[in-house]
Amino acid sequence: MNDALARIAAETGLLDPARQRLRLAFALACVRRVEHLLEDERAKDGLAVLQAWVEGRADDAALQAAATRMQTVANGHRGSNSIDGSAHAAVSATYAVANAVAGRALEAASYAAYASVYAYGGYAVNDRASFEPEFAWQVQELGRLSGKG
């Protein structure tokens, strides 16, 4: 858990229903950082719907439909055929998108951080220090998006 992110989320009211635009913009920024780890075209499509919503080119109904599809996609992810162990990174990136599209920004950030670190190698997820650069970026990005950075 990114404790500093939780603090700034509370300060900015990130979880308040009225802050949906901020929440989704932040979630989008987090998943964009692990977009290259997505292997399922349906996850990429879900990300595109989120991008369109943030840009004002998609409505709430499209976002809700994408959230429903993405939950199914994430829950059904079989992992990766890659021999480099990136299966967990791809699965985590897909869950990051599913949470982002559903408006669960803190969960999206957590999955994105995990995907980013796991992409280094499985050993890295056991070292809390491996998460620090991503955690710091998340705090800085939420501060920037909310005007508190």
Side-chain angles (χ1 to χ4, degrees), residues 1-2 30 33-34 36-37 84-90 92-93 96 108-136 138:
M1 174 75 183
N2 186 342
C30 290
R33 292 175 60 85
V34 295
H36 63 284
L37 299 172
D84 67 0
S86 64
H88 294 294
S92 293
S110 290
Y111 275 109
Y114 190 84
S116 178
V117 171
Y118 210 99
Y120 300 148
Y123 67 90
V125 297
N126 295 317
D127 180 7
R128 174 120 173 120
S130 297
F131 288 86
E132 292 308 319
E134 194 65 20
F135 283 175
Q138 290 174 349

Side-chain angles (χ1 to χ4, degrees), residues 9-144:
E11 290 170 14
T12 62
L14 183 68
L15 302 182
D16 294 345
R19 301 301 307 252
Q20 182 182 27
R21 183 156 303 283
L22 172 61
R23 196 169 41 258
L24 291 174
F26 174 66
L28 174 63
C30 290
V31 297
R32 282 283 179 212
R33 292 175 60 85
V34 295
E35 178 179 11
H36 63 284
L37 299 172
L38 295 172
E39 296 179 339
D40 190 314
E41 288 302 317
R42 297 171 300 169
K44 294 173 186 177
D45 293 343
L47 183 55
V49 172
L50 177 58
Q51 178 78 45
W53 190 93
V54 168
E55 293 173 352
R57 298 181 291 109
D59 61 15
D60 289 344
L63 188 66
Q64 180 57 49
T68 300
R69 283 191 307 274
M70 280 307 307
Q71 193 60 49
T72 300
V73 170
N75 287 340
H77 200 296
R78 60 170 174 62
S80 173
N81 292 328
S82 175
I83 62 171
D84 67 0
S86 64
H88 294 294
V91 172
S92 293
T94 302
Y95 270 102
V97 173
N99 279 283
V101 173
R104 294 185 297 268
L106 295 179
E107 293 85 347
S110 290
Y111 275 109
Y114 190 84
S116 178
V117 171
Y118 210 99
Y120 300 148
Y123 67 90
V125 297
N126 295 317
D127 180 7
R128 174 120 173 120
S130 297
F131 288 86
E132 292 308 319
E134 194 65 20
F135 283 175
W137 177 87
Q138 290 174 349
V139 168
Q140 181 180 13
E141 183 66 5
L142 181 53
R144 184 186 73 76

